[in-house]
Amino acid sequence: MSTIDRKICLVGDFGVGKTSLIRRFVEGVFSDQYLSTVGVKISRKIIKFKDETRSELLDIKLMIWDLEGHTKFKGISPTYLKGAQGAIIVADVTRMETIEHIVHHIDLFLSINPKGVIITALNKSDLVDQEKLEELKQMLQKKTAQQDQVIASYYTSAKTGLYVDDIFQQLGCGTLQQE
């Protein structure tokens, strides 16, 4: 069985739930205590991928970089993004400005990794109703329609686990298409 290493980054404004999504995926836990990430924290998890072309099962070792949130005073260090094959751009559905910043985060990531793939995650979806989620997702899809590297958009909840495994699994497998 082959193992493939992939660096992926979680990017987004402060307080959108990047660390909570990672903890839910890697450790299977959720805490509603807010801990601000300073700099970068790296987690690891292996996912399985069935390669139909080679008829084999692959291990994809995800090196998940949790980047501190962007504020108007302090941007993300481009050196943290360098060499990443994929990114999950995270926004908080209860804070419209974080959704509006998604395109900026996409542009920054792709300026450093032009062949990278991206998934957008509208997080904290357990805090708004389904109708509002659909409206936000459609708005996001219009904003990112020109970005071929955005392979999917999800509404997620680190609290309930909604689509958390899916975003990491799809991004990990999506990075294999770069080769």
Side-chain angles (χ1 to χ4, degrees), residues 126-141:
D126 55 296
L127 300 177
V128 298
D129 63 42
Q130 191 68 30
E131 189 176 308
K132 178 74 172 170
L133 286 177
E134 285 302 322
E135 180 184 310
L136 291 172
K137 191 172 177 183
Q138 287 175 5
M139 182 188 82
L140 179 60
Q141 287 171 334

Side-chain angles (χ1 to χ4, degrees), residues 1 5 7-8 12 22 44 50 56 78 84 88 114 117 125 160:
M1 182 179 323
D5 292 341
K7 175 182 176 180
I8 63 170
I22 293 168
R44 294 168 179 77
K50 174 78 169 144
E56 68 176 322
I88 298 173
V117 293
S125 64
T160 67

